[in-house]
């Protein structure tokens, strides 16, 4: 079964097969599936998931997925749905390689499964999962939270960034900078009482010293409110760089990029130098499509669903760097 049009997906490289991409997504049966995408003409050798009788699961859509490689293990995160009477609760959970909430307390629960991102150390045990905690699914009361597994033993603690005011429709993107040990989180926020289309980023250190700034240089139609967001870290010519992918108001695929601040920069947020938004593909994305990126040595491969596709499946666009 292919990924339905409004269902979330996340791509990761196969750590054991260099030319293979793993596309994780949620099916209509509320379970996590994976397609193995290979670099072959027309994808003829792709290994596509087939449901041979798996029971209906507890991963509702629309929703969000995120993935990292943590301690050498490819780990996928999502939202586990719990229904008690008329109350529906979503718990931030590991959904692969096992299905297990990140914690049992209410800190990990939310009323709507929107917004999810994750990063991990390249050579260390730590992982961070970002999500929106909402008490009331109908009001603008979302709080950006970070769940941190410091020792790589699936023991997560939650920190809430109450000084940030996300929109209820925002997606989340995040990268980890191995040079500065900082996390950079991207989202859309409430400004002057209304949802702003512009993208804001948070620069977070290990001591929860955060700096926040709006990415300037956008025109009025540059970013779609509620756009899917994805960010990826690259080391190019000995310089750390971040790429952010999003949709404009016409649902066309765009990106911006910036070099990352140098280690111990006293004003790291001011050191970002963002490029002007650049279009990658003028073919529109389908309603409900997510964006996910898999880098290789020379490209960022962006996966999304194109509008008016014969089949509502995720396809890749290769962004040459």
């Amino acid at each position: 079964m292919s990924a339905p049009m409004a269902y979330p997906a996340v791509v990761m490289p196969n750590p054991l097969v260099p030319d293979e991409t793993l596309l994780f997504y949620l099916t209509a049966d509320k379970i996590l599936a994976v397609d193995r995408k290979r670099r072959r003409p027309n994808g003829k050798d792709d290994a596509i998931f087939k449901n041979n009788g798996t029971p209906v699961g507890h991963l509702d859509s629309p929703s969000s997925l995120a993935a990292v490689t943590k301690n050498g293990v490819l780990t996928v995160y999502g939202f586990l749905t719990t229904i008690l009477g008329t109350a529906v609760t979503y718990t931030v959970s590991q959904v692969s390689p096992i299905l297990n909430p990140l914690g049992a307390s209410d800190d990990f629960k939310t009323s709507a499964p929107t917004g999810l991102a994750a990063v991990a150390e390249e050579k260390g045990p730590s992982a961070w999962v970002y999500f929106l905690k909402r008490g009331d699914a109908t009001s603008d009361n979302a709080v950006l939270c970070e769940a941190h597994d410091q020792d790589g033993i699936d023991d997560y603690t939650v920190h809430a960034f109450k000084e940030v005011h996300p929109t209820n429709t925002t997606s989340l993107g995040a990268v980890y900078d191995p040079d500065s040990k900082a996390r950079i989180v991207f989202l859309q926020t409430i400004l002057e009482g209304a949802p702003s289309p512009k993208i804001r980023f948070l620069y977070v250190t290990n001591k929860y010293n955060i700096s926040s700034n709006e990415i300037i240089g956008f025109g009025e139609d540059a970013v779609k409110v509620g756009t899917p967001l994805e960010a990826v870290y690259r080391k190019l010519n000995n310089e750390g760089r971040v790429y952010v992918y999003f949709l404009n108001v016409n649902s066309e695929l765009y990106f911006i990029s910036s070099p990352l601040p140098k280690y111990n920069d006293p004003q790291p947020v001011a050191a970002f130098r963002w490029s002007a938004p650049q279009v990658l593909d003028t073919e529109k994305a389908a309603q409900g499509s997510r964006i996910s990126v898999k880098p290789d040595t020379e490209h960022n491969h962006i996966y999304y669903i194109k509008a008016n596709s014969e089949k509502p499946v995720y396809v890749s666009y290769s962004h040459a760097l």
Side-chain angles (χ1 to χ4, degrees):
M1 180 184 296
S2 297
M5 188 171 295
Y7 283 25
V10 63
V11 292
M12 291 290 287
N14 186 332
L16 299 179
V17 183
D19 68 345
E20 188 169 87
T21 298
L22 302 177
L23 172 67
F24 294 91
Y25 58 93
L26 300 185
T27 73
D29 297 316
K30 303 180 182 181
I31 61 175
L32 182 71
V34 60
D35 292 347
R36 292 160 53 195
K37 302 283 190 179
R38 296 163 182 159
R39 293 184 197 166
R40 303 287 189 273
N42 302 318
K44 290 182 179 179
D45 294 327
D46 288 352
I48 305 302
F49 169 77
K50 296 179 182 178
N51 190 338
N52 296 320
T54 301
V56 173
H58 300 277
L59 303 173
D60 281 342
S61 286
S63 185
S64 302
L65 292 173
V68 298
T69 300
K70 185 179 70 163
N71 274 345
V73 178
L74 204 159
T75 304
V76 184
Y77 301 97
F79 291 94
L80 181 64
T81 307
T82 303
I83 301 175
L84 294 175
T86 59
V88 182
T89 301
Y90 303 93
T91 305
V92 184
S93 304
Q94 182 182 151
V95 297
S96 179
I98 63 170
L99 179 60
N100 195 32
L102 299 193
S105 75
D106 288 343
D107 290 343
F108 300 90
K109 295 178 172 60
T110 183
S111 63
T114 56
L116 190 67
V119 297
E121 290 180 304
E122 288 184 348
K123 298 179 181 179
S126 285
W128 298 265
V129 182
Y130 297 91
F131 64 99
L132 299 181
K133 184 170 178 59
R134 293 165 60 182
D136 180 354
T138 61
S139 60
D140 289 325
N141 62 351
V143 177
L144 177 66
C145 294
E146 176 190 86
H148 181 203
D149 177 16
Q150 181 173 345
D151 299 316
I153 57 174
D154 294 336
D155 184 14
Y156 291 85
T157 57
V158 174
H159 177 83
F161 298 102
K162 295 183 179 180
E163 52 277 83
V164 183
H165 303 286
T167 66
N168 275 350
T169 59
T170 188
S171 294
L172 299 175
V175 298
Y176 176 76
D177 181 359
D179 295 326
S180 66
K181 313 298 183 186
R183 290 91 66 200
I184 303 101
V185 186
F186 300 88
L187 73 165
Q188 292 174 308
T189 59
I190 301 292
L191 293 176
E192 297 180 353
S196 170
K198 294 187 178 182
I199 298 171
R200 178 171 290 272
F201 70 97
L202 275 65
Y203 190 86
V204 188
T205 69
N206 284 335
K207 295 181 179 179
Y208 291 115
N209 296 320
I210 73 165
S211 303
S212 173
N213 202 3
E214 188 176 88
I215 298 174
I216 61 174
F218 291 104
E220 289 296 325
D221 60 350
V223 190
K224 181 178 184 177
V225 173
T227 178
L229 278 172
E230 183 65 296
V232 62
Y233 167 86
R234 299 303 307 265
K235 189 86 168 187
L236 302 172
N237 299 319
N238 293 319
E239 180 183 65
R241 194 171 190 91
V242 59
Y243 290 81
V244 182
Y245 296 90
F246 58 93
L247 302 179
N248 72 350
V249 292
N250 296 320
S251 295
E252 298 165 333
L253 181 63
Y254 271 69
F255 84 97
I256 53 177
S257 68
S258 173
L260 291 170
K262 302 299 182 183
Y263 179 67
N264 279 340
D265 190 311
Q267 295 183 312
V269 168
F272 282 83
R273 301 189 302 277
W274 292 102
S275 65
Q278 299 178 57
V279 64
L280 283 173
D281 194 350
T282 56
E283 288 194 51
K284 296 182 179 181
Q287 179 68 29
S289 173
R290 305 302 197 267
I291 297 174
S292 190
V293 180
K294 192 207 95 168
D296 64 22
T297 55
E298 298 178 346
H299 302 83
N300 287 335
H301 299 281
I302 304 104
Y303 283 76
Y304 71 108
I305 302 174
K306 293 187 177 182
N308 303 317
S309 300
E310 291 185 10
K311 296 180 179 180
V313 295
Y314 282 84
V315 296
S316 65
Y317 178 94
S318 294
H319 177 198
L321 303 180

